[in-house]
Amino acid sequence: TLPLLSVDDLKCFYADLSAYAKKVTAIAYIRDPVSYISSMFAQNVHGGVYPRVVKPFYREKFEKFIVLLGRTNVEFRVYDKRQLVGGSSVSDFYDAIGISIDEMAVQRTNLRLSLQTLQCLNCLNQSPITLIGMAPFTNARNQLIGTLNKEYHTPFDLSASSVASYMDHDDIGWMETISGFSLAPVEELGGHEEDDPETILQSVRQ
């Protein structure tokens, strides 16, 4: 998505938008690092990718927007469903730009999955037959996810201690300074020697 664009590509995108608008403002939704890593981990499995830890890389993603647009034209918002309008970043974004939408029209595709669901999907992902992207397989996979989610209700989350070794405190500090809000209490980012991230990864690779 946009944060993953190169600086040159972002400049081209900005030039295209500027042809239709006098002012361009970016609105970015920022997850705390533990929540981000946990979400990306589950999304990788959901999307058919081998489970791995993906860091937020806040500065790499968002500094280029500030350089291009200026800090006053980049608005950061905390990604917390309890604080978002309608409990969704989509509804919240439309509200921020002054457009009314029917809440029923908002489709929530990023469902939180249980550990049991992720374990089952990970087994399917290791199949030697490449079926990801084929409509019949995708439909059957989605039906399986729905069935498992009805049976197992507890969403999967990586613990702060399990991903502590992946924390880039300088990057987190930069994001907090730029945005003006705290992403996570310091004590929540402290790990213990016995907390090996691989232990958490193995829980899905069973």
Side-chain angles (χ1 to χ4, degrees), residues 39-198:
S39 176
M40 289 302 298
F41 183 90
Q43 283 187 47
N44 280 333
V45 180
H46 190 188
V49 181
Y50 196 68
R52 62 191 178 92
V53 169
V54 179
K55 298 179 183 179
F57 295 112
Y58 297 117
R59 189 166 192 167
E60 180 181 322
K61 290 178 180 177
F62 299 112
E63 187 173 42
K64 54 196 169 190
F65 285 89
I66 296 173
V67 172
L68 180 62
L69 303 176
R71 176 64 186 90
T72 57
N73 292 319
V74 180
E75 180 182 346
F76 294 104
R77 296 190 171 203
V78 178
Y79 184 86
D80 184 339
K81 292 182 179 180
R82 296 168 298 181
Q83 301 181 38
L84 299 176
V85 175
S88 161
S89 57
V90 175
S91 300
D92 192 88
F93 174 76
Y94 276 105
D95 181 76
I97 62 177
I99 297 178
S100 299
I101 60 171
D102 184 351
E103 286 297 321
M104 296 299 294
V106 178
Q107 297 183 359
R108 289 172 170 79
T109 57
N110 186 18
L111 299 176
R112 298 191 65 191
L113 307 179
S114 67
L115 173 60
Q116 294 85 350
T117 302
L118 290 175
Q119 287 175 329
C120 184
L121 291 178
N122 190 58
C123 289
L124 291 176
N125 295 345
Q126 296 177 39
S127 168
I129 303 175
T130 303
L131 297 173
I132 299 295
M134 297 179 63
F137 176 78
T138 299
N139 293 336
R141 185 183 175 96
N142 289 337
Q143 289 179 16
L144 174 63
I145 291 173
T147 300
L148 290 172
N149 260 9
K150 289 179 181 179
E151 182 68 24
Y152 303 103
H153 308 290
T154 304
F156 171 80
D157 281 307
L158 291 168
S159 66
S161 59
S162 69
V163 297
S165 62
Y166 293 92
M167 293 296 129
D168 184 339
H169 292 272
D170 289 338
D171 190 45
I172 295 170
W174 178 86
M175 190 71 257
E176 290 182 325
T177 299
I178 291 297
S179 65
F181 49 72
S182 176
L183 290 172
V186 175
E187 59 271 17
E188 290 187 9
L189 299 182
H192 304 284
E193 292 183 358
E194 64 271 20
D195 289 321
D196 179 6
E198 280 299 311

